[in-house]
Amino acid sequence: LQAVNKGPRAMTTHFKFAMLAPVLLLGGCISFGGDAPDSLLTLTPTASAPAGAAESSNASTAISLMEFEAPSALDVTRVPVQVTDTELAYLEDAVWVEKPARLFRRLIAETIRTQSNRVVIDGDDPGVLADNRLTGTLRQFGYDARSGSVVVVFDAVRPGQGSDVVTRRFEATVPGVLPETASVGPALNQAANDVAAQIAAWIG
């Protein structure tokens, strides 16, 4: 029999291999997802408040925009396509930078800032007192393949007099849109700005 060298050098080599082996094994188990899209869609307001503009208000004129609701088909970063009355798909390669309800809320907030003298609080901040609050549900925000148009529908909710609640539906449609990301993205931005302007005029 031949003696096996188990000196310090041999032990060190074995230890390094033992530490490296789990890493090599994990490499076959970890997935970093699919390829990222070439570009991401977002909403851009047609007008923005100038940098450095100061705002001041009181609780009676300030307005707080609460989180918007959205159905499951819109609670994703994809652009829905209404194929038939009962069939829904998603536009290929069209991906929002974040969920459209959040993008739309920020667009409305910026639009109200530029069209009124109100202080606008975008989000639910319990430390800010605002008698006026706006919330609602984004009902439609996508492409209608039947009419070749994009459609944006929003049901707004705000306090009325006393304990009353006031609701109103706002809608905008852009026809003649090709079922391509390069056409649908700008059209949705146009329709969203249209609805935001309607809401800002309603808020006053």
Side-chain angles (χ1 to χ4, degrees), residues 4 12 28 64 71 87 95 122 135 145 163 194 204:
V4 179
T12 301
S64 176
E87 185 180 357
V95 182
D122 180 14
T135 186
S163 59
D194 187 342

Side-chain angles (χ1 to χ4, degrees), residues 30-92:
I30 297 175
S31 174
F32 293 97
D35 294 336
D38 293 336
S39 61
L40 297 174
L41 298 175
T42 189
L43 297 179
T44 305
T46 54
S48 299
E55 297 177 331
S56 63
S57 183
N58 53 46
S60 63
T61 58
I63 183 168
S64 176
L65 270 63
M66 315 300 288
E67 184 175 359
F68 292 169
E69 298 292 330
S72 298
L74 291 178
D75 196 27
V76 293
T77 57
R78 303 295 303 276
V79 176
V81 176
Q82 195 71 46
V83 181
T84 67
D85 290 344
T86 58
E87 185 180 357
L88 188 71
Y90 287 102
L91 187 63
E92 186 178 3

Side-chain angles (χ1 to χ4, degrees), residues 7 19 62-63 67 73 78 85 111 134 137 143 155 164-165 174 195:
M19 291 296 293
I63 183 168
E67 184 175 359
R78 303 295 303 276
D85 290 344
T111 304
L134 176 70
T137 303
Y143 183 75
D155 289 339
D164 294 343
V165 175
V174 178
V195 171

Side-chain angles (χ1 to χ4, degrees), residues 118-134:
R118 293 179 182 271
V119 169
V120 181
I121 299 97
D122 180 14
D124 186 11
D125 187 348
V128 178
L129 298 178
D131 295 339
N132 300 285
R133 297 192 174 193
L134 176 70

Side-chain angles (χ1 to χ4, degrees), residues 100-165:
R102 291 178 176 268
L103 292 171
F104 188 55
R105 187 181 72 182
R106 283 199 288 273
L107 178 68
I108 293 175
E110 189 65 19
T111 304
I112 294 175
R113 287 190 188 98
T114 58
Q115 295 189 14
S116 72
N117 294 320
R118 293 179 182 271
V119 169
V120 181
I121 299 97
D122 180 14
D124 186 11
D125 187 348
V128 178
L129 298 178
D131 295 339
N132 300 285
R133 297 192 174 193
L134 176 70
T135 186
T137 303
L138 189 61
R139 296 292 182 189
Q140 296 185 50
F141 202 84
Y143 183 75
D144 191 332
R146 298 164 298 183
S147 61
S149 60
V150 300
V151 182
V152 174
V153 178
F154 180 72
D155 289 339
V157 182
R158 61 180 294 198
Q161 296 291 331
S163 59
D164 294 343
V165 175

